């Protein structure tokens, strides 16, 4: 079974959780269109798991961990780099502060049930295998964008 492994800055996850709770979903931007085309072809409209690495929050000396998860609900194409619903489904951190604001995207992937994992439930990224691969990720692997994984 396929799932999504993604890196999202922690600040966007925190503000995105409030959006998901209020509107039922949150939208994260990406330029990795091919990844989502492949994912959508594989899942055929059925929501699938998302495992999220909170980037920009590393603890030195610790192997990268999945600290958030959610359910991938689908994607929408950007309109002039923005979500077609404006900022409604976007984390407030993506537009509130020029230091954390993100740029113009090609598409947005939408996540429901976004939740932070308890410390005891965090998952080492090295327990996952890339979709179609035979070996798990290295203990130091950090996703730099959305990646398909075996689940």
């Amino acid at each position: 079974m396929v799932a999504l492994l993604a890196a999202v800055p922690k600040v966007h996850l925190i503000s995105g959780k409030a959006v998901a709770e209020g509107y039922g979903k949150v939208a994260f931007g990406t330029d990795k269109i091919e990844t989502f085309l492949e994912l959508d072809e594989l899942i055929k409209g059925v929501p699938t798991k998302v495992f999220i690495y909170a980037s920009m929050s590393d603890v030195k000396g610790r192997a990268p961990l999945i600290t958030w998860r959610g359910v991938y609900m689908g994607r929408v194409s950007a309109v002039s780099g923005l979500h077609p619903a404006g900022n409604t489904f976007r984390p407030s951190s993506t537009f509130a502060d020029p230091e954390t604001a993100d740029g113009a995207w090609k598409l947005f992937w939408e996540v429901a049930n976004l939740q932070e994992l308890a410390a005891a439930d965090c998952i080492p990224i090295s327990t996952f295998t890339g979709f179609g691969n035979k070996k798990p990720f290295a203990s130091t692997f950090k996703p730099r964008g959305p990646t398909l994984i075996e689940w």
Side-chain angles (χ1 to χ4, degrees):
M1 185 178 275
V2 68
L4 185 65
L5 169 64
V8 176
K10 187 173 183 177
V11 65
H12 298 333
L13 290 166
I14 292 168
S15 65
K17 184 177 180 196
V19 173
E21 289 171 349
Y23 292 101
K25 65 182 178 181
V26 61
F28 298 110
T30 187
D31 289 333
K32 304 293 184 185
I33 294 172
E34 300 79 21
T35 301
F36 288 92
L37 291 174
E38 183 178 0
L39 176 60
D40 288 346
E41 178 64 29
L42 291 166
I43 65 172
K44 305 213 182 295
V46 176
T48 192
K49 292 183 184 267
V50 178
F51 298 94
I52 302 173
Y53 165 70
S55 63
M56 302 169 74
S57 66
D58 283 337
V59 174
K60 291 190 182 222
R62 185 177 78 181
L65 298 172
I66 299 302
T67 55
W68 291 74
R69 70 175 172 205
V71 177
Y72 171 74
M73 302 303 292
R75 62 179 162 82
V76 294
S77 296
V79 178
S80 299
L82 303 173
H83 192 283
N87 288 332
T88 302
F89 301 111
R90 299 286 286 135
S92 61
S93 58
T94 63
F95 54 87
D97 179 353
E99 291 294 315
T100 60
D102 59 2
W105 299 110
K106 293 183 180 174
L107 68 83
F108 294 88
W109 50 286
E110 298 182 330
V111 177
N113 301 323
L114 181 65
Q115 58 188 276
E116 186 171 15
L117 299 175
D121 296 327
C122 292
I123 307 165
I125 292 176
S126 60
T127 62
F128 293 106
T129 301
F131 186 74
N133 295 334
K134 295 183 181 183
K135 293 183 179 181
F137 294 120
S139 63
T140 57
F141 176 78
K142 295 178 187 177
R144 299 202 189 251
T147 304
L148 302 184
I149 59 171
E150 300 281 348
W151 172 247

